[in-house]
Amino acid sequence: MDDVLERHLVLPLNSPPGYPRYNGSAERAMQDLKKELDHQHQRVLMQNVPMALELELATHELNHKPRRVLGGLTPCQVHHDPHRRVRLHGALRRRLFRGVLEQFW
């Protein structure tokens, strides 16, 4: 898995041993997703809908809810705002990737 991630310049975010708080945001995201799915199941329109579509709709709903950590903006607004989004290409991305890995190891 690490080879595939490295080939695409993706940094692995493995949880350090003995530090459960590291996974807090991932756990919260799963909790939010489950809550949204439960909310959708209560709606009559969601009966007999494939699970893949339910997940896609729940994710869409969550991406359009304002978040305090984002200054009241939605994840969608932040992701699509060209002034907030950082884009790293080519050699700079490779150099940063190598530098972070070297510091980590």
Side-chain angles (χ1 to χ4, degrees):
M1 180 56 78
D2 287 338
D3 291 340
V4 173
L5 292 173
E6 185 174 350
R7 194 173 325 129
H8 295 280
L9 302 176
V10 175
L11 293 170
L13 296 177
N14 300 327
S15 166
Y19 194 71
R21 292 184 307 236
Y22 187 84
N23 287 330
S25 62
E27 295 292 333
R28 176 61 191 260
M30 293 282 52
Q31 180 185 27
D32 289 346
L33 181 59
K34 288 178 182 179
K35 190 185 304 182
E36 185 62 35
L37 284 171
D38 287 344
H39 178 70
Q40 285 184 5
H41 277 277
Q42 293 173 3
R43 292 190 246 169
V44 177
L45 296 174
M46 294 308 291
Q47 292 177 356
N48 301 319
V49 172
M51 178 58 94
L53 181 57
E54 283 190 65
L55 286 168
E56 192 170 329
L57 290 170
T59 303
H60 177 80
E61 289 293 322
L62 289 171
N63 281 332
H64 290 88
K65 287 188 176 181
R67 303 287 177 179
R68 187 179 68 228
V69 72
L70 299 176
L73 298 175
T74 68
C76 186
Q77 289 171 314
V78 172
H79 179 74
H80 292 289
D81 183 350
H83 300 292
R84 293 179 184 276
R85 193 166 180 197
V86 176
R87 293 182 185 266
L88 304 174
H89 298 285
L92 176 60
R93 184 178 170 118
R94 277 188 287 282
R95 194 170 69 226
L96 289 171
F97 178 81
R98 296 282 176 227
V100 169
L101 277 185
E102 286 173 11
Q103 285 182 13
F104 178 74
W105 294 113

